[in-house]
Amino acid sequence: MIFNRQEFVAEAKQLMKLGVPMVATQLFIMGMGFVDTVMAGRYSSADLAGVTMGGNVLWPLFMFSSGLTMALVPIVAQLRGANKVADVGEKARQGLWVAFVMSFFVVGMMLNAEPFFIWLGVDAEVIKIAVDYLYACAWGVPPVMIYVSLRFVAEGLGHTKPPMLIAAGALAVNIPVNYIFIYGKFGAPELGGVGCGVATATVYWFELIVMMFVLRMSFFRQTGLLEKFSMPRFRGIREILEIGLPIGAQSFVGMMVFSIVGFLVAGMGVTELASHSVAGNLNWLTYVIPMALGSAVSIRIGFAVGALDPDAVQGIIRTVYQVTLGYAVIVSCLLIFARFFLVSLYTRDQAVIALGATLMLFVAFYQIFDDLQAITGGVLRGFKDTMVPMLISLVSYWLIAIPVGYVLAEGIMFVEPMGVYGYWSGLTFGLFLAASVSGIRLYFTARVQLNEIRSGGLIVEGS
């Protein structure tokens, strides 16, 4: 990989321009989850458990359904790169139809989650809180699905600051509404953890309402989104689903892996579960930046592909990998040398600190694989290549990481039981495998795409 300082600085600036607001957006979203957890936990442990269980249903469904319309990012980015912004409006309208229909699927699953909780053997009081929490959140699902689709259009056009500002405003709204409905202030009913659901639905409506004002900005008006009404069109929806279904499935798979491992670790004891949770949370914090950078590079690749500029494509790929490798090495060193301090921020339990600090060594070790995989996925999305990456994730995590982790943890087939370390060993191997195979996939995909661009065989289609 040749280092060109001028190319690196120029492209890094463009990536940061797109990526920094996306990092901030994710941090604001995480902040809302943190506020819900803290405020529900201070009300009662049962309410905290209920909100957590409800979130375990809501978020995987949300990640899957929003992943469908994430297809709009590379679709819109390539159109913008090809100077076909006027064709974006029709793509966006078809995306809104997908979001609208999917919102009813998500609501239906949320309203019928009680049998799942009963099957898991969850405490009856916790089930009542979780079910009511989901009922409250359901009122906000249709608007947030529409908002997310419009957000992806804005990001595909290269405008990542408006979603960041909306997320910041949403966090500011979430805190007081939580307080009012959890504790019953200013004449509102005292709902406990269910109040978090009311606040979540309120925030979802807030995001859509503010987005309506963003639609009046010049970059959105140029798309012609609001100029006419469009009925669902098979061709447009098929394109979104062909790209978006694998993205949604991959997001769902990635999120559920840690949830499944959490359920398995829970049977080992409180210390193991607490350590696993702390290490997982710190891992997520370090992953936010490469995840956002992956989203930013998908936009940059989309611009370059749409502009039929192979040199720009290669320059973007070189730069993003150089940035990511530097970040991963720095973070790995930080996690190794500050692991005891970082874990102690979450707990004073010495047993949890000791075990959690050891688990942080796993996070430090696989940091490079994890971060590079996030970037590779972003580049492939920019090429509209999503099906094979989804299959790679499915095989690496579900068919290899979890079974290997279970064998190592439980000591099956003459293997000495490793306990929680076994599951984290399995996750580490799965991440290494996914990153390696994804890198191979990118090598061949990029070569094919670049050859098509140079030969004039690649055409970016509009409406």
Side-chain angles (χ1 to χ4, degrees), residues 76 79-80 84-93 150 153-154 156-159 214-228 463:
V76 170
L79 287 172
R80 188 203 166 193
K84 295 181 179 180
V85 174
D87 292 330
V88 169
E90 180 59 29
K91 303 289 187 181
R93 285 190 289 270
L150 295 172
V153 173
L157 290 168
H159 295 272
V214 176
L215 292 180
R216 300 175 63 86
M217 299 177 73
S218 60
F219 73 86
F220 249 124
R221 290 203 305 270
Q222 292 171 7
T223 67
L225 172 62
L226 301 179
E227 289 182 359
K228 66 176 183 177
S463 301

Side-chain angles (χ1 to χ4, degrees), residues 78 304-311 313-314 382-385 441 443-461:
Q78 289 195 13
V305 170
L308 304 179
D309 189 343
D311 293 334
V313 171
Q314 291 178 308
F383 287 130
K384 296 183 180 179
D385 183 5
R441 173 64 181 181
Y443 172 79
F444 288 104
T445 298
R447 189 167 69 173
V448 169
Q449 291 269 338
L450 292 173
N451 286 339
E452 288 187 356
I453 292 173
R454 291 190 177 103
S455 66
L458 182 66
I459 299 174
V460 178
E461 296 184 359

Side-chain angles (χ1 to χ4, degrees), residues 18-254:
L18 291 170
V20 170
M22 298 176 107
V23 171
T25 298
Q26 291 300 322
L27 291 175
F28 288 133
I29 293 172
M30 289 178 65
M32 284 185 275
F34 176 76
V35 168
D36 285 354
T37 299
V38 170
M39 297 185 77
R42 291 191 174 185
Y43 188 83
S44 80
S45 58
D47 285 88
L48 173 58
V51 171
T52 301
M53 292 302 297
N56 286 340
V57 171
L58 171 62
W59 287 108
L61 289 172
F62 178 80
M63 292 296 290
F64 173 74
S65 54
S66 63
L68 296 183
T69 53
M70 191 182 288
L72 289 169
V73 175
I75 290 172
V76 170
Q78 289 195 13
L79 287 172
R80 188 203 166 193
N83 291 319
K84 295 181 179 180
V85 174
D87 292 330
V88 169
E90 180 59 29
K91 303 289 187 181
R93 285 190 289 270
Q94 297 306 307
L96 290 174
W97 276 113
V98 173
F100 181 69
V101 172
M102 279 303 301
S103 68
F104 289 97
F105 165 77
V106 174
V107 168
M109 296 292 288
M110 290 168 64
L111 298 185
N112 291 278
E114 185 172 3
F116 175 68
F117 295 138
I118 295 173
W119 177 72
L120 288 175
V122 179
D123 180 80
E125 181 183 3
V126 174
I127 290 178
K128 177 67 166 60
I129 295 169
V131 168
D132 289 346
Y133 167 84
L134 289 171
Y135 270 65
C137 289
W139 289 97
V141 169
V144 79
M145 290 300 300
I146 294 172
Y147 160 73
V148 167
S149 299
L150 295 172
R151 168 191 155 188
F152 289 147
V153 173
E155 291 177 347
L157 290 168
H159 295 272
T160 56
K161 288 184 179 178
M164 176 194 71
L165 296 175
I166 292 175
L171 176 59
V173 169
N174 187 59
I175 295 172
V177 178
N178 257 342
Y179 176 73
I180 290 170
F181 285 97
I182 290 175
Y183 298 100
K185 302 299 182 179
F186 307 108
E190 184 177 344
L191 300 176
V194 178
C196 292
V198 175
T200 298
T202 303
V203 164
Y204 288 166
W205 278 101
F206 167 83
E207 289 175 328
L208 178 60
I209 291 170
V210 177
M211 181 57 80
M212 293 299 102
F213 291 96
V214 176
L215 292 180
R216 300 175 63 86
M217 299 177 73
S218 60
F219 73 86
F220 249 124
R221 290 203 305 270
Q222 292 171 7
T223 67
L225 172 62
L226 301 179
E227 289 182 359
K228 66 176 183 177
F229 174 82
S230 295
M231 292 297 292
R233 295 172 57 187
F234 175 76
R235 181 180 175 185
I237 291 177
R238 184 183 64 182
E239 179 185 16
I240 291 171
L241 293 181
E242 284 178 349
I243 300 171
L245 268 173
I247 296 175
Q250 188 173 3
S251 299
F252 181 83
V253 166

